[in-house]
């Protein structure tokens, strides 16, 4: 997923270079920045369940405090990816097998 987002950032940068409209350029730049932030946040998601749960809680707090619509959009997307990853990790996680004591 981060690769696709980064590719879109490159495409938006190319579009910025070809337009002469300053308003359109600014909007393209804002979107490119949002996607770049989202790509990096997704790439940096932890690989263990406990850390991922802590990260999800952190992003939820950030989302509750975010006032900027662009920031909210990025946080919602990253939060969704993190929750999807947690669900995927939880479904693959099997409870540990109980240890059997050897009887002599």
């Amino acid at each position: 997923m981060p690769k696709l987002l980064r590719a879109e950032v490159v495409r938006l940068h190319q579009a910025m270079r070809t337009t002469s409209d300053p308003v359109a350029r600014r909007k393209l730049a804002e979107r490119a920045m949002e996607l770049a932030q989202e790509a990096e946040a997704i790439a940096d998601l932890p690989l263990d369940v406990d850390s991922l749960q802590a990260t999800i809680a952190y992003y939820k707090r950030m989302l509750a405090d975010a006032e900027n619509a662009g920031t909210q959009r990025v946080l919602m997307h990253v939060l969704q990816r993190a929750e999807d990853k947690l669900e995927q990790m939880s479904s693959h996680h099997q409870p540990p097998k109980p240890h059997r004591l050897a009887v002599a």
Side-chain angles (χ1 to χ4, degrees):
M1 180 58 109
K3 277 186 174 183
L4 296 174
L5 292 171
R6 289 179 185 128
E8 181 64 8
V9 169
V10 169
R11 190 192 70 72
L12 290 171
H13 278 270
Q14 291 169 342
M16 285 169 42
R17 285 191 283 275
T18 62
T19 186
S20 59
D21 179 9
V23 174
R25 251 205 322 268
R26 189 184 96 251
K27 288 183 180 183
L28 289 167
E30 287 173 359
R31 186 66 182 139
M33 178 61 106
E34 288 175 9
L35 292 176
Q37 290 172 335
E38 187 176 331
E40 294 313 307
I42 291 170
D44 289 342
L45 288 174
L47 300 175
D48 65 284
V49 172
D50 291 337
S51 296
L52 191 54
Q53 288 172 333
T55 300
I56 288 170
Y58 172 73
Y59 280 125
K60 285 182 178 180
R61 286 191 306 275
M62 285 181 61
L63 181 58
D65 294 339
E67 295 179 8
N68 177 293
T71 301
Q72 289 172 347
R73 193 169 32 252
V74 168
L75 290 170
M76 285 189 297
H77 289 154
V78 173
L79 191 54
Q80 183 62 52
R81 297 286 179 245
E83 289 172 339
D84 291 348
K85 185 175 182 176
L86 180 62
E87 184 178 316
Q88 189 176 39
M89 290 169 72
S90 297
S91 69
H92 291 343
H93 179 71
Q94 297 177 2
K97 294 180 182 177
H99 295 289
R100 293 187 178 173
L101 296 175
V103 179

